[in-house]
Amino acid sequence: MTPEVIDGFESSRRVGNIMHNVLGVEDVDVTYRPAKLRTGTLRMVFASEADALEAELLHANGTEFDIASTERDAIVMSYAVSGDITLTLDDATRDVWVLSVTFQEVAS
Amino acid sequence: MTGSTHLYEAFVQGTPDVALPLSEDAGTITFDSTTAPYVQASLRLGKIDSATLELLDTRQSPIPRVTITADATYPGDTQARTFDLNVRGWERDQATGEPMLRVASDEAILEDVRALVDDNGAFTYQSSLRGVVNYVLGSCIPGAALEATPTDDADVTTYSDSVNIVANGAAIVDTSGWSLVGSGSLARQTGATWAANSSDTAFRIYGSGSGTGGYIQLAYYDAASLFGGKKFMFRARQKNSAGVNVGVAGASAGDMKVLWSLDDGTGSFYSDDSMGDRSANGQKDHRLNVNFPENTKTVLIRLYHGFTSADSVFWSDVRASERSLDPTDDEYFDGNTSNTATYEYIWQELNGLSYTTRTAMVDRTPDSLLWEAGRTALEFLRPIVQAAGLRLVCNELREWTLRNADYEAAGSTAIEYGGTGLLRLYAGTEAISREDDVWCDACVVRYKGGRVDWYALTDPPSRVRYIDRTNDPWPGIGFAQHVVTRANNQSRDVTATVVANWDTTADQPVTFELFESPSLAGKIERVEFNLSSDEMTVGARVVEV
C-alpha cells in the first residue's frame, strides 16, 4: 500500500536501565539494560476512501509491516501495530483520509 | 555511581539444549539454608512454543532440568553464576501466555521419593552417616553422592537389647542340651580359634565313615510362650575339617535347619533350611529368619554333619533371638562376650549354660534407621542428620554436602549503608526479638513415643524453644543443642537489599555496616536474587562484633 504522504514522524525508545536509590547518599546506582526499539504513531494520508479502508484492513490483520521511503532513510523499519488504528476524514479538505497507527518497531 | 549490567539466560538441558526466553520481569532465585530445597527459583518465561513447553513437562522421568546463567559486569570486575535445577512445574496465565516456571535444587527429588516397602538397606552403612546418606541418595537419584569435603561424619550405629535364648551356644562348658541323632558321635572341641565366641570352643560331630553322618539337635518343647507369633533370627557358624568332603555329601550336609510344629512334636513339622558349605575346611555363617505362627508349640534347631566321611563337621556360635529391625544384628554373643561402651552381656544363670541378655548402653534404637514405607527420603534422613548436628544440602551445581554449624561457603559479602563500595544498601531492616525463635537459650525437641531431647545453655533458661518431631523416630540426642548453639551465635536478624552480587550465596560469611548500628557479622541464611530488578536481598542472623 502506498500512502500519498507520511504526515510527520516522531519515535521514542523506552529505556531498560534500572535506577537503584542508595540509602544515605545522594548518589544512585544504575544497572544497565538495553532500550527497547522505537515506538510512535505513523500518520499516513490517503487520497481515496478505498485505499484508506484497505490500509486500515491490512493493519487490522495482525501482521508485520515494512516501511520503505523514497525520501527518509530514518523511518525505514519493520513494525507491529501496538495500539489503536485510527481512521480520520481530514477536517480541512473533507476529501483525504488520514490513517494513524501506533507502532512498535520490531527486529526484521 | 556504580553501574553494572546483568545478563540472564536459561535453557532446558538436552541434546541439544533448548533456549528458554526469559521475560523482562524474569522472577527470582532464592537460596535458603533453613529450607529444603536449598535453592528454589521462579522464572517468568516469554513467548514460548508448545514444543519447548513440552520439554518442561515435569511428569516425565528423568525430571527435566533447566540451567540458568547470570553474567554480570561491574566496574573492574565480572561475575558469572550457573544454576542447574530440576523442574517442579509451570503455570501459564492464559491472558498473557507467559508461563511461570518453578525449579529447585535436588532435595526436591528426595521429597518426591517414598519407600514403597520398609527399607532396611541403611543398616549396612550404620557406622557412617555419610554411608547412610549416600545409600539414600543413590537409591533416589542415580549417581548422586556426597562431595568428598566437608568430611563431617557421624557413627549412627543403632543398639538394641536382645536375648540369646540358646543356653549352650558354643560348648563353653560341655555339650549339654544338644543330642546327636543318627550315626557318628558328638564331642566338645577346644582351641577352635575360627569360632566367634571368646572361649574358642565348639561342638564337634564325628562322622561314622560308613553311613551318612547325623546331626545335633536342640529341642524346645511346650515353648508357645517363647516362640508363638514371634519373629526370630537363628544363626550358627559351621566349620568343616580338611577331609570331610572326600566322602559323599548327603542332601543335608553342613545344613542348619529350624523345624517347628503346632503340637507337642509328634505330628508334622514345618522347616526352614540354610544350605551348608560342602568344601574342605569350608566355613559358613548360617542365618535363618523364621516368623513363627501364633500357636507354635515345638521348635527344633538342627546342625548337620551329613557327609559319608569319618572326618568332622564343627558347629559353634549358635544364637536364637527375637529379630531386630536391624538385619545386621546377627552376631553371636554370650555372657563371656566382653562388655563394651555400647553393650553389656550377662549370663542369666550358670555361666556357659544359660540365656544371655545383651543390654544397650547407648540410646539409639534401630527404628531410626528403618526407612518406613510411605516416608519420603528427606523425612527419613532429616532426624538422623540433625541429631548429628548436620544439614544435608544440595547446591545449585548438584553438589551434595553435609554441613555442620560452623560450615562457611567460600567467599564473603560486605554490605554497607551509604559509602562508596559496590554493595550499598537500597533497603533493609534490622531486628532483635524474643519471639519468632530468632533467639533462645534452651530447646526441647519431642520425638515419636514421647521421647524428648532437650538442652539449656543457662539454668534456669530464659526463653525455651519447642520443636515438634513427634512423627520422627528417636534418633538420639544432639539436635536440641545444635538449635541453641545456632540461635546464640546469630541472634540479630538483618535483611538488606543491594545490587545483585553473583558471588554471594547462603552460608557465606557476611558483614554489615548499618545506620547507627554496631558492626555486625554472621552468616547469610537466605539470599534472593531478583532477576527483574537486578537486586538481591540478603537475610542473615548476625552478632555484634
Side-chain angles (χ1 to χ4, degrees), chain B residues 243-410:
Chain B
V244 73
N245 68 324
V246 174
V248 180
S252 301
D255 288 4
M256 174 171 84
K257 298 187 181 184
V258 174
L259 296 86
W260 63 97
S261 79
L262 308 184
D263 54 29
D264 56 7
T266 53
S268 58
F269 277 95
Y270 306 89
S271 73
D272 205 353
D273 302 358
S274 169
M275 191 176 152
D277 187 299
R278 289 162 189 182
S279 61
N281 293 314
Q283 182 177 319
K284 178 176 177 177
D285 279 335
H286 292 261
R287 177 181 171 147
L288 283 174
N289 290 334
V290 181
N291 300 341
F292 290 107
E294 201 63 56
N295 43 355
T296 301
K297 279 184 79 176
T298 305
V299 173
L300 309 175
I301 303 173
R302 288 180 181 170
L303 307 174
Y304 274 78
H305 182 288
F307 295 87
T308 307
S309 163
D311 268 314
S312 305
V313 175
F314 302 88
W315 287 92
S316 190
D317 310 338
V318 188
R319 173 182 166 195
S321 299
E322 275 200 71
R323 198 152 77 237
S324 160
L325 289 173
D326 177 357
T328 66
D329 181 8
D330 59 1
E331 298 298 308
Y332 174 77
F333 65 81
D334 60 39
N336 287 4
T337 306
S338 301
N339 292 339
T340 64
T342 53
Y343 278 132
E344 200 171 85
Y345 305 92
I346 298 172
W347 293 111
Q348 286 308 291
E349 291 171 41
L350 283 178
N351 284 7
L353 292 171
S354 65
Y355 288 17
T356 298
T357 56
R358 184 186 72 183
T359 310
M361 298 285 118
V362 174
D363 187 11
R364 196 159 51 229
T365 50
D367 51 353
S368 66
L369 276 188
L370 180 72
W371 186 1
E372 288 176 336
R375 284 171 75 81
T376 68
L378 215 53
E379 284 170 345
F380 167 61
L381 284 179
R382 189 181 58 184
I384 316 168
V385 169
Q386 286 182 339
L390 300 171
R391 275 183 302 134
L392 177 63
V393 169
C394 179
N395 72 5
E396 76 276 20
L397 298 174
R398 307 190 74 185
E399 292 165 341
W400 292 90
T401 45
L402 282 176
R403 300 179 175 184
N404 64 22
D406 300 327
Y407 177 87
E408 287 185 348

Side-chain angles (χ1 to χ4, degrees), chain A residues 14 16 18-25 27-34 36, chain B residues 1-6 8 24 417-418 424-426 499 531-535:
Chain A
R14 185 168 65 81
I18 302 172
M19 303 298 140
H20 306 273
N21 290 319
V22 181
L23 296 182
V25 293
D27 202 4
V28 293
D29 280 355
V30 182
T31 52
Y32 294 102
R33 292 190 172 191
K36 296 294 147 191
Chain B
M1 192 273 295
T2 308
S4 57
T5 59
H6 305 259
Y8 311 114
E24 196 160 294
Y417 176 93
R424 302 190 291 181
L425 209 60
Y426 300 158
V499 69
L531 275 52
S532 310
S533 65
D534 301 333
E535 293 172 347

